[in-house]
Amino acid sequence: MDLADLKSGRLTPDDYAQNFADAHPPLNRTQALIEAERCYYCYDAPCQTACPTGIDIPSFIQRVAQDNVRGAAEAILTANPLGGMCARVCPTEVLCEQACVRNTNESKPVEIGLLQRYAVEGHFANPGARPLFERGMPTGKRVAVVGAGPAGLAAAHGLAWRGHEVVLFDANAKLGGLNEYGLASYKVAGGFAQQEIDWLLSIGGITPRLNCRLGRDMTLDGLLAEYDAVFLGLGLAGVNALGIAEPELPGLRNAVDFIAELRQSAPEIVPVGRRVVVIGGGMTAVDAAVQSKLLGAEQVTMVYRRGPDGLSASTHEQHWAQTNGVSIRCWARPLGVEAEGGVLRGMRFASTKLDKGKLVDTGEQFSLEADMVLRAIGQSYVAESAGNAIALQAGRIRTDADGQTSLARVWAGGDCRAGGRDLTVEAVEHGKRAAICIDRALGLATVRHLDKEASHG
């Protein structure tokens, strides 16, 4: 094994085009109409209750059945302004579709996610259609939204809709956060992430400021001095370490960086090893492992320290990984990196087991050859960028149900907020609810200001 084992261009152009095409093609009109007719249009529908953003699912499906794509899209996007992306990436099999009443007497629920995608993308495909949303009358209030991921985008849209002026800061060169940089390419093929952002910004009143990082280019105190309110959608900038010595070696890298590189590059120029080990058991690990295989890796193994029941990747994601040739090996934790002459050779692991509820080593060890090792054991919130004034809970920002932090005029949402499930759809709901709360707070501030002027008069 030598450094040539870590290389790009392993496949033909046709192979790359096929491997990184849309993994789950959308429904056509006939398929959508037939699928929509399967819905019972339940009153007090459990699928709607299971949706974190509360989309009126029976209503939008009924509009699909009536061939009213615009009406269906309006029902979806009013509740979830990123309903198109959520239709592609949300684990609908454990949310709305799991709650579908057809599960009680049939083997297959209504394909809610695919119908949602059909409606939103059908509306986006009609650029001449009149806008679904128009910006409210300007309020004169200015809000800084820091972080242009799902939570920040939803907050910005909700605030602009209500007439506030929004400046949307992001540390990256493109808006989108996780949607643009953190998802497998085959889930968001065709540039959909930016298409959705273009639609969202079309409401007006939102000014993007890119390559601006909190703590480097501006401070929270500075934003509070300039803006009437601040929303923090900072995500998780830190990557958890393996807890072992990690030398600087080609091929030993964070899975999130590998995924981001692939999203921003043509797949044929992204290097991959012949034998790849991905450490972790979540969606990021699956995305990294599957894409390694699609880039031409001969052998890809996901290694997880606990048993199969502990994997945070859904059963659907696990099956997807295995279908694409990824091996999943449980009950093993990393012990050390194996290298020779500055070249990555593999990883050494300890076998594990549960003993009285505690994870312990069995005493057995084994090694896996690898010229590429991707760390995917979770990310953490980096508190330093926002300063020390905001209270934390379990390492993330503590908020109330509406996203209000311990600091006046500051709200937060998305993965940086404590108590969440790190789901795109949940982050959207955080941003949506915070926008409502901020609007209410700014409205009360306006009323108090007018009352004060009246009393002086």
Side-chain angles (χ1 to χ4, degrees):
M1 190 189 302
D2 58 33
L3 285 177
D5 289 324
L6 185 67
K7 67 179 184 179
S8 59
R10 292 185 177 277
L11 307 176
T12 68
D14 287 345
D15 288 333
Y16 286 118
Q18 180 178 342
N19 289 353
F20 289 93
D22 201 330
H24 304 289
L27 300 175
N28 60 37
R29 177 176 175 272
T30 300
Q31 292 170 327
L33 293 175
I34 292 172
E35 187 62 25
E37 290 292 350
R38 297 184 61 241
C39 181
Y40 290 144
Y41 313 125
C42 304
Y43 175 77
D44 197 20
C47 58
Q48 181 175 350
T49 303
C51 174
T53 56
I55 295 172
D56 189 342
I57 294 171
S59 177
F60 98 70
I61 293 180
Q62 189 170 45
R63 294 178 192 186
V64 171
Q66 296 165 348
D67 212 11
N68 179 5
V69 171
R70 175 187 169 85
E74 183 174 17
I76 294 164
L77 296 170
T78 299
N80 182 343
L82 277 75
M85 184 63 73
C86 288
R88 287 176 174 237
V89 305
C90 279
T92 54
E93 69 277 1
V94 297
L95 293 171
C96 53
E97 290 175 14
Q98 187 178 63
C100 178
V101 296
R102 278 197 175 271
N103 282 317
T104 62
N105 56 13
E106 296 183 18
S107 61
K108 182 177 178 290
V110 175
E111 297 275 10
I112 298 170
L114 284 173
L115 288 170
Q116 181 170 317
R117 179 179 173 183
Y118 169 81
V120 174
E121 294 184 16
H123 176 68
F124 286 177
N126 185 9
R130 70 182 189 278
L132 290 177
F133 304 99
E134 294 183 1
R135 188 181 175 212
M137 290 292 293
T139 64
K141 300 293 184 179
R142 303 178 71 227
V143 182
V145 174
V146 185
L153 289 169
H157 186 268
L159 289 162
W161 189 17
R162 291 166 173 84
H164 305 300
E165 181 184 346
V166 179
V167 177
L168 181 57
F169 297 89
D170 198 84
N172 293 307
K174 292 181 180 180
L175 301 177
L178 176 71
N179 290 356
E180 176 59 38
Y181 292 94
L183 299 171
S185 297
Y186 53 76
K187 292 180 177 178
V188 284
F192 180 75
Q194 291 304 310
Q195 181 186 12
E196 185 172 57
I197 288 170
D198 290 343
W199 170 83
L200 188 142
L201 294 180
S202 69
I203 193 172
I206 303 172
T207 303
R209 290 192 185 171
L210 300 171
N211 299 306
C212 291
R213 185 181 298 277
L214 187 65
R216 183 192 68 190
D217 303 301
M218 69 275 194
T219 65
L220 184 56
D221 286 343
L223 292 175
L224 286 169
E226 186 177 353
Y227 295 89
D228 296 293
V230 175
F231 177 83
L232 301 176
L234 300 173
L236 303 176
V239 177
N240 294 336
L242 296 176
I244 59 174
E246 298 181 48
E248 291 288 335
L249 294 171
L252 178 61
R253 61 185 307 195
N254 296 325
V256 291
D257 296 334
F258 171 70
I259 292 169
E261 180 186 0
L262 189 49
R263 279 296 302 277
Q264 302 305 311
S265 310
E268 57 267 23
I269 71 171
V270 177
V272 70
R274 286 197 300 118
R275 290 182 284 267
V276 179
V277 171
V278 181
I279 302 174
M283 188 182 75
T284 299
V286 170
D287 282 356
V290 170
Q291 291 191 113
S292 296
K293 193 70 176 175
L294 296 178
L295 284 171
E298 297 171 11
Q299 182 179 359
V300 180
T301 307
M302 278 175 55
V303 183
Y304 179 62
R305 62 194 178 112
R306 295 184 180 271
D309 292 344
L311 289 163
S312 58
S314 67
T315 303
H316 174 80
E317 290 279 344
Q318 294 173 47
H319 289 166
W320 173 250
Q322 292 166 330
T323 299
N324 281 276
V326 175
S327 299
I328 300 178
R329 186 160 183 171
C330 296
W331 300 115
R333 70 173 185 88
L335 281 179
V337 177
E338 296 181 341
E340 182 180 342
V343 178
L344 179 62
R345 299 294 187 184
M347 287 289 297
R348 190 171 72 258
F349 294 90
S351 296
T352 60
K353 66 177 182 179
L354 282 179
D355 184 7
K356 298 178 181 177
K358 184 178 180 181
L359 190 70
V360 298
D361 292 349
T362 66
E364 298 179 358
Q365 297 183 12
F366 65 93
S367 293
L368 293 177
E369 288 189 33
D371 40 64
M372 189 172 188
V373 174
L374 301 173
R375 296 167 290 227
I377 57 171
Q379 295 173 259
S380 57
Y381 170 64
V382 178
E384 289 77 11
S385 61
N388 300 318
I390 299 178
L392 303 182
Q393 176 183 334
R396 303 192 193 189
I397 299 175
R398 189 184 75 204
T399 75
D400 64 14
D402 292 320
Q404 172 71 62
T405 72
S406 61
L407 193 61
R409 297 191 291 125
V410 178
W411 283 257
D415 293 350
C416 70
R417 171 176 158 176
R421 293 174 287 176
D422 295 350
L423 296 175
T424 300
V425 66
E426 188 176 65
V428 173
E429 179 66 10
H430 288 174
K432 185 180 79 173
R433 291 190 65 174
I436 295 170
C437 188
I438 292 170
D439 175 66
R440 186 186 309 125
L442 295 181
L444 290 173
T446 302
V447 169
R448 284 195 296 269
H449 178 68
L450 293 175
D451 287 346
K452 186 175 181 181
E453 286 186 345
S455 65
H456 284 303

